[in-house]
Amino acid sequence: MVPADPSRTPMTDGLGRRISYLRISVTDRCDLRCRYCMAEKMQFLPKNQVLTLEEIALLADLFVARGITRIRLTGGEPLVRRDIGDLVRRIGRHIGHGLDELTLTTNGTRLATHADMLADAGVRRINVSLDSRDPDRFAHVTRGGHIDQVLGGLDAAKAAGLAVKINMVALRGINDDEILDMLRWCDAQGFDLTLIETMPLGETGEDRTDHYLPLTEVADRIGRHHALRPIPHRTGGPARYHAVEGMAVKLGLITPLTRNFCADCNRIRMTCEGKIFMCLGHEDHVDFKAALRTGGLPAVEPLIDRALRLKPAAHDFRIGAGEAAATRRHMSVTGG
């Protein structure tokens, strides 16, 4: 484990933004095929192109030493990765020693098996992607998923003492009539809720324009029933949070299209191939894998500074008839 070095200069990009948050995609594979995220027939990476868990752990060590204070494990679906518990425990050892928090985003299908492991390894909160609680609609959005698996996983997470935030992509004509009910259900369950505008990443075989729903419109709808009040609560990501009148739930809004959140971006992303993407909406990246495998961590460290210099001012997401996806990469490749 590379020890944190308080004498090092904090990681800062070319625009002066402090980079303290690393999202690591541990696999591009997933056991669901959500329509806004992936194509129905995906071509996944061969095993030899994917970083080993040991390589991911070594890179996480280095990033914590350089000043990363939050790490989120993502996918694909991170819990489909064999021996994922070994990685969670390895990174979890940094908590309190340079790392403030280790979190995870999951679709919840395997939480029932892994919730206790996550809690034991130091994870205190998780995000669970859930776009509908209706069994038929859930199966439609996920192309065959079973809602009971997710609900069972959420019960296991609560029993393990994990704080849960539900992530719901707002989709016009698909789940927009469930949003208020989801908010009330989350409040009853003791969960928080974050709503997300669909992002134009990768070709999915679906026309995102048909289902794009601005969250300004959603907030207005909710406000007719429960007044919303902005609050300063932050979790390190791009969500802006609101208190909801009459509820304990915190409502987060992630608005890449209606309200750009790039000015204070503190994040970089590492794919399961070891590619560092400085922005979800750009193709520019720096490849760590070859350097790591030929020269070890000393060969990687200069590449971190190169990546920081390449971080753009903002993404260039656009959605509309005839607009191409912002990147060729699917969300599952870079991680949410």
Side-chain angles (χ1 to χ4, degrees):
M1 186 166 63
V2 182
D5 184 351
S7 69
R8 294 191 193 224
T9 303
M11 290 173 56
T12 305
D13 72 7
L15 297 170
R17 294 172 295 193
R18 169 75 185 275
I19 307 303
S20 58
Y21 191 177
L22 173 65
R23 299 192 179 193
I24 301 175
S25 176
V26 301
T27 179
D28 64 330
R29 297 175 185 270
C30 188
D31 50 357
L32 301 178
R33 297 289 184 274
C34 295
R35 293 174 180 272
Y36 56 82
C37 178
M38 304 173 76
E40 186 168 9
K41 295 182 179 179
M42 290 290 294
Q43 190 77 25
F44 295 116
L45 292 167
K47 185 175 180 180
N48 65 353
Q49 291 186 27
V50 175
L51 292 174
T52 67
L53 294 181
E54 175 65 17
E55 288 171 330
I56 294 173
L58 286 171
L59 291 170
D61 290 348
L62 178 58
F63 273 108
V64 172
R66 286 293 306 266
I68 288 293
T69 60
R70 280 190 171 98
I71 291 178
R72 176 174 294 279
L73 300 180
T74 71
E77 169 49 48
L79 297 181
V80 305
R81 182 80 189 254
R82 182 177 297 178
D83 297 326
I84 184 63
D86 294 342
L87 179 65
V88 178
R89 285 185 286 268
R90 168 75 178 268
I91 298 177
R93 292 187 301 170
H94 287 291
I95 297 172
H97 304 280
L99 190 66
D100 294 336
E101 186 178 48
L102 174 62
T103 58
L104 177 125
T105 295
T106 174
N107 63 28
T109 60
R110 300 178 185 229
L111 257 181
T113 302
H114 293 289
D116 286 337
M117 174 276 292
L118 294 171
D120 290 344
V123 174
R124 294 293 172 261
R125 64 183 183 92
I126 58 172
N127 290 355
V128 179
S129 301
L130 180 61
D131 302 311
S132 174
R133 290 169 48 237
D134 177 85
D136 293 336
R137 193 175 286 181
F138 180 84
H140 171 74
V141 171
T142 60
R143 295 190 177 105
H146 299 284
I147 187 65
D148 287 346
Q149 286 181 294
V150 179
L151 297 178
L154 288 168
D155 288 342
K158 288 173 66 175
L162 296 172
V164 174
K165 179 165 70 70
I166 299 297
N167 284 348
M168 182 182 190
V169 178
L171 300 166
R172 189 186 301 279
I174 294 181
N175 66 0
D176 50 332
D177 61 338
E178 287 189 70
I179 292 174
L180 186 57
D181 181 62
M182 184 74 84
L183 179 65
R184 291 168 174 166
W185 177 76
C186 285
D187 183 58
Q189 294 293 319
F191 303 155
D192 289 329
L193 173 66
T194 289
L195 302 174
I196 306 171
E197 291 176 342
T198 187
M199 299 185 195
L201 298 170
E203 296 301 331
T204 65
E206 303 273 331
D207 188 344
R208 292 184 176 95
T209 307
D210 291 344
H211 302 300
Y212 167 58
L213 180 59
L215 290 188
T216 49
E217 182 178 329
V218 174
D220 287 343
R221 290 187 197 176
I222 294 173
R224 294 173 198 146
H225 302 271
H226 302 276
L228 301 180
R229 175 175 54 83
I231 56 176
H233 176 74
R234 296 296 299 274
T235 59
R240 298 297 181 266
Y241 286 91
H242 297 73
V244 183
E245 183 183 33
M247 297 186 186
V249 62
K250 290 185 285 290
L251 174 65
L253 302 178
I254 296 181
T255 54
L257 292 158
T258 57
R259 184 187 176 193
N260 185 296
F261 44 67
C262 300
D264 58 354
C265 181
N266 63 344
R267 298 171 296 286
I268 55 177
R269 291 171 168 83
M270 185 171 77
T271 73
C272 60
E273 286 185 282
K275 294 178 179 178
I276 293 290
F277 283 86
M278 287 63 67
C279 177
L280 193 60
H282 286 263
E283 295 285 6
D284 292 341
H285 65 274
V286 176
D287 192 345
F288 285 10
K289 182 173 63 180
L292 179 65
R293 290 182 175 178
T294 58
L297 291 179
V300 172
E301 188 153 7
L303 298 182
I304 295 177
D305 299 311
R306 179 183 170 197
L308 293 172
R309 291 194 298 270
L310 289 175
K311 189 169 175 65
H315 64 65
D316 191 27
F317 288 149
R318 293 187 299 271
I319 197 164
E323 290 282 1
T327 72
R328 296 185 299 275
R329 302 184 324 276
H330 291 89
M331 176 72 82
S332 62
V333 173
T334 319

